[in-house]
Amino acid sequence: MATERDYGELLTLTFSTPMPYEWSIGKYGSLFFHEIRESQRFTGIRCPQCGKVYVPPRRLCAPCFKELDELIILPNLGSIMAFSVVNYPFPDPATGEQRPIPYTYGCIKIEGSDNIFNHVIDETNVEKIAVGMKVAAVFKGKEEMQGNIQDIRHFRILG
Amino acid sequence: MDNIAIVGVAQTKYERRKKDKTYYDLVFEMTKGVLEDSGLTLEDIDNVITVSNDFLDGRTISSMAVGEAAGAGDKNISTVEGDGTFGAFYGAMRVLGGFNTTLVVAHSKGSEGDVKHITNGMFDPIFQRLLGLEAISASALQANAYMDRYGVREESFARVSVKNHANAKNNPYAHLPMELTIEDVMASQKMADPIKLLDCSPVSDGAAAIIIANEAHARKAKTKPVWIKGIAHCAEEYFLGDRDLTNPKSLRDAAKRAYAMAGIADPLKSLDVVELYDAFSYMEPLWLEGLGLCNPGDGPKLLDDGITTMSGALPVNPSGGVLSSHALLVAGLARIIEAVLQLRGEAENRQVEGAKTGLAHGINGPCGQSHCVWILGTEK
Ligand SMILES: [Zn+2]
C-alpha cells in the first residue's frame, strides 16, 4: 500500500497487485517459436480450400472454416505494408519497464504468406521508411530466447 | 420486423474525471434519468441490459455490481461486454422477442484504470500484446495503410478534428469543445505517425441509458417515439493482419443489411444526419466509405465538399462525435442518443433542421473489427 494517503474530501482506493496468468501457446504456436529458436525462420500453415498461407500458424482458416495442418517453412524476409513511428511512452508489457521512444510498429507481409504479421521495425526516421520496402527479421541469440514474440528482436530494412 | 421504438434517453456530461461518482452512482442516475425522460416508471420496465467491461471496471463480472442500480431487482437482466450500440442491439432483440420494454445502461470511467494497458489487453497475448500494440498505435497502422492506399493526406484527417471539435461547442454534454485550425491539429504532439494528439479522442468518464419499447408501450411514454427502422452488426477476423484495414468489410455488410431492413436504396439521399464512432479523426472518412456514402477512397472529399458539415446535405457528428467525448462503451450508446434527440427535434443548438431519418454507428475491437449500424426514423 502507498504510505501517503490523499485525505481529501473524496477518497480513492488504489489496487496495484499483479494478477498473473499463464496462457497456453498451443501446438502450432509452440512449433512457431521452436522453429525460430532452432533455425531462425518462420512457420506458416496453408488452407487446403483457399490456399491461403497464414503466419503465425493456427488451426483454422476463418473464411473457409477449414481445419489446417499443412505447415510451411517461410524465410525470415518480408515487405512493409504499413508502419507507424510511436512517440508516446508505453511500458514494455513483457517487463513493465519503459521502453525508449520513438520506436516503430510495422505491418509486414512475410514472403510466401498471405496475411500480415505485426512487429517492430528498426528505423525511427519516417523519411527512411516506406510501404513496399523489403525487411529481414533479426532474432535474439539462441541462449537469450524465451519462446515468445520478443525472440524476434525486430525487422531490419534491407538495402 | 415489429414496430419498436426508443422512447427514453439519458446521458451524463462527459469529462476527464468524475471523482465524485462511483459506477453505481452513474448507473443509478442514468436509470432515474431515462425513466424521467420517457415518463415511464420502473414497473413499466420488464427487461434490463447493463453494458460494462471488467478490465475497465477493475472488477470480475462487473455487471453484477450495477444491476440493482439499474432497477433490475426483480427483473430479467443480462449484460453485454462491448460498445453500447451492441448492448442496445441486444435490447432491441429482447423487445422483438417478447418483452414490452428494455432499459439499456452503459457506464465507464477511463480515468480509474490505465486505458493504454486496457486496450493493449484487447490484443492476442502471445503474438501481439507483448509488442505493446494498443488502440493508438494499432489505429496509426490503419491510418497509415489508408493514406498509402488512396493517397489521403494528413490535413484531411485534421479537417475532421476541426469540424467535430467545433460542433462540440453546441453540445452541452461534450468533453472537449474546441475552436481549432488545421494548423493547430497538424502542429499538435506527434503520438504515433500519422496520428497526432488532436486526431485522438479524449479518455472520458460517463454513462448513458435508453429505453426501447414495443408499439403498445411506446404509446404509454410521454416522448415522441423514435422508431428503429433497421439494425445490423457484422464482425471481421481478430488478428489485424488477417483483415484489409483500408476496407471496413464488416461495416459494408452491416450497413447493407440495415439499409435493406429500413428500405433505403440511396443512403446519401435518405439520411438526414449521421452520428458515427470517430475514435480517431481518420475513422470518420473511412467509416463513411464503409457506410456506402461515397466510393472507397473518397471519404475525405465529403468534408472537402462541405457535405458533412452542419450546413451540408448530410451533417456528420453534429454532437462533436467521439473525437470530442469518448467514454468507452458509452460512446456508441451516445451516438444513438444523439440521433434520437435529432429526430425528436430536441438537439437544441446542434439540431439538424427537419431531420427525419438518422444513422447511428458503433464499433467494437481494434480498428473497427466489428460495426453496429442503426437506422432510426420519425415515422413507423
Ligand atoms: Zn481458406
Side-chain angles (χ1 to χ4, degrees):
Chain A
M1 286 300 284
T3 47
E4 277 187 43
R5 181 83 165 115
D6 172 4
Y7 245 109
E9 185 195 348
L10 292 167
L11 299 174
T12 58
L13 174 72
T14 303
F15 177 85
S16 48
T17 312
M19 295 176 72
Y21 201 97
E22 184 183 66
W23 284 281
S24 291
I25 292 178
K27 183 175 133 190
Y28 291 141
S30 300
L31 275 170
F32 177 81
F33 291 119
H34 279 299
E35 191 65 28
I36 283 176
R37 184 159 179 266
E38 294 310 317
S39 309
Q40 294 79 55
R41 60 189 185 181
F42 295 124
T43 310
I45 198 161
R46 179 181 280 132
C47 173
Q49 186 158 313
C50 67
K52 200 169 160 178
V53 173
Y54 291 98
V55 60
R58 76 285 298 270
R59 280 186 69 183
L60 175 70
C61 174
C64 300
F65 204 69
K66 270 278 167 201
E67 180 143 14
L68 313 181
D69 60 9
E70 188 193 346
L71 293 166
I72 311 273
I73 294 301
L74 300 170
N76 70 328
L77 302 170
S79 50
I80 300 175
M81 306 300 286
F83 63 92
S84 176
V85 179
V86 179
N87 292 287
Y88 56 88
F90 187 62
D92 183 335
T95 61
E97 305 276 311
Q98 188 55 61
R99 64 169 84 169
I101 49 172
Y103 54 93
T104 303
Y105 283 125
C107 290
I108 294 156
K109 184 163 258 176
I110 305 292
E111 263 181 35
S113 77
D114 296 295
N115 68 333
I116 288 164
F117 190 78
N118 286 107
H119 214 281
V120 173
I121 299 170
D122 173 29
E123 174 59 66
T124 56
N125 182 346
V126 185
E127 306 301 319
K128 292 185 176 168
I129 318 174
V131 170
M133 280 179 166
K134 300 288 175 209
V135 290
V138 176
F139 299 97
K140 282 184 178 166
K142 192 169 175 177
E143 64 295 338
E144 282 180 84
M145 287 191 182
Q146 303 272 330
N148 69 37
I149 198 68
Q150 294 185 341
D151 289 354
I152 307 164
R153 213 184 276 286
H154 51 248
F155 282 75
R156 175 172 55 86
I157 295 175
L158 295 174
Chain B
M1 187 171 96
D2 289 347
N3 292 323
I4 58 172
I6 298 171
V7 299
V9 298
Q11 59 183 329
T12 61
K13 180 171 168 56
Y14 303 100
E15 50 197 341
R16 202 194 66 77
R17 178 86 173 107
K18 288 184 183 293
K19 198 176 176 183
D20 59 333
K21 305 256 167 73
T22 65
Y23 296 128
Y24 195 91
D25 295 332
L26 291 172
V27 170
F28 174 50
E29 287 176 14
M30 288 302 100
T31 302
K32 273 200 308 187
V34 77
L35 288 169
E36 195 177 297
D37 178 66
S38 66
L40 298 174
T41 67
L42 199 54
E43 285 65 49
D44 296 313
I45 305 297
D46 52 4
N47 183 52
V48 173
I49 292 166
T50 57
V51 173
S52 63
N53 169 286
D54 293 2
F55 275 25
L56 272 167
D57 281 15
R59 187 173 346 210
T60 305
I61 324 182
S62 52
S63 57
M64 290 296 119
V66 293
E68 64 197 54
D74 58 347
K75 301 184 197 306
N76 205 300
I77 178 166
S78 41
T79 299
V80 168
E81 190 277 299
D83 178 60
T85 48
F86 294 78
F89 185 98
Y90 175 46
M93 293 195 324
R94 297 290 270 173
V95 175
L96 290 168
F99 286 101
N100 292 318
T101 56
T102 290
L103 188 153
V104 183
V105 57
H107 67 269
S108 87
K109 295 179 76 177
S111 67
E112 298 198 341
D114 180 328
V115 167
K116 285 198 188 77
H117 281 283
I118 292 168
T119 65
N120 175 242
M122 283 192 292
F123 290 94
D124 177 77
I126 295 154
F127 296 107
Q128 295 185 315
R129 196 189 298 183
L130 274 193
L131 299 173
L133 277 174
E134 39 65 64
I136 302 172
S137 50
S139 298
L141 290 170
Q142 184 172 39
N144 177 264
Y146 182 37
M147 290 173 66
D148 183 71
R149 171 124 176 218
Y150 295 115
V152 181
R153 292 163 48 83
E154 288 179 45
E155 286 80 359
S156 291
F157 302 151
R159 187 164 287 146
V160 174
S161 174
V162 171
K163 168 179 76 79
N164 290 356
H165 284 106
N167 286 353
K169 289 189 299 176
N170 294 322
N171 178 2
Y173 300 97
H175 179 170
L176 285 183
M178 283 194 281
E179 188 69 48
L180 296 172
T181 63
I182 290 177
E183 292 70 38
D184 293 334
V185 181
M186 294 299 291
S188 63
Q189 186 195 340
K190 273 188 174 299
M191 299 297 286
D193 197 67
I195 291 178
K196 296 163 290 294
L197 185 64
L198 292 171
D199 291 309
C200 301
S201 53
V203 174
S204 315
D205 286 1
I210 65 171
I211 293 172
I212 302 172
N214 63 16
E215 196 167 356
H217 279 72
R219 275 195 293 269
K220 285 185 77 177
K222 72 174 189 205
T223 47
K224 192 153 69 171
V226 169
W227 301 97
I228 299 172
K229 309 293 291 179
I231 38 174
H233 73 73
C234 294
E236 289 174 66
E237 288 84 350
Y238 175 50
F239 279 94
L240 294 180
D242 292 357
R243 289 149 52 188
D244 176 354
L245 296 178
T246 66
N247 175 20
K249 182 165 69 70
S250 59
L251 178 55
R252 273 179 216 292
D253 293 343
K256 203 188 289 173
R257 290 174 203 198
Y259 295 150
M261 205 185 276
I264 289 177
D266 181 351
L268 192 55
K269 215 179 257 169
S270 300
L271 297 173
D272 300 312
V273 60
V274 170
E275 280 283 340
L276 58 70
Y277 207 114
D278 53 332
F280 297 92
S281 58
Y282 78 88
M283 287 184 171
E284 185 173 295
L286 185 56
W287 299 162
L288 290 170
E289 293 170 23
L291 287 167
L293 295 165
C294 61
N295 289 323
D298 286 346
K301 256 190 101 235
L302 289 172
L303 180 51
D304 294 346
D305 295 346
I307 293 168
T308 55
T309 62
M310 276 310 281
S311 54
L314 180 58
V316 174
N317 287 333
S319 65
V322 180
L323 272 178
S324 305
S325 314
H326 193 183
L328 290 156
L329 312 184
V330 179
L333 203 56
R335 306 280 68 70
I336 293 176
I337 291 169
E338 286 294 330
V340 166
L341 293 173
Q342 290 287 347
L343 300 180
R344 284 195 202 165
E346 295 172 7
E348 299 179 332
N349 291 335
R350 57 197 188 283
Q351 181 67 45
V352 175
E353 280 317 311
K356 289 191 165 54
T357 307
L359 182 150
H361 158 261
I363 60 177
N364 237 353
C367 302
Q369 185 191 353
S370 60
H371 293 264
C372 191
V373 177
W374 286 67
I375 308 294
L376 301 170
T378 53
E379 306 295 326
K380 260 184 264 183

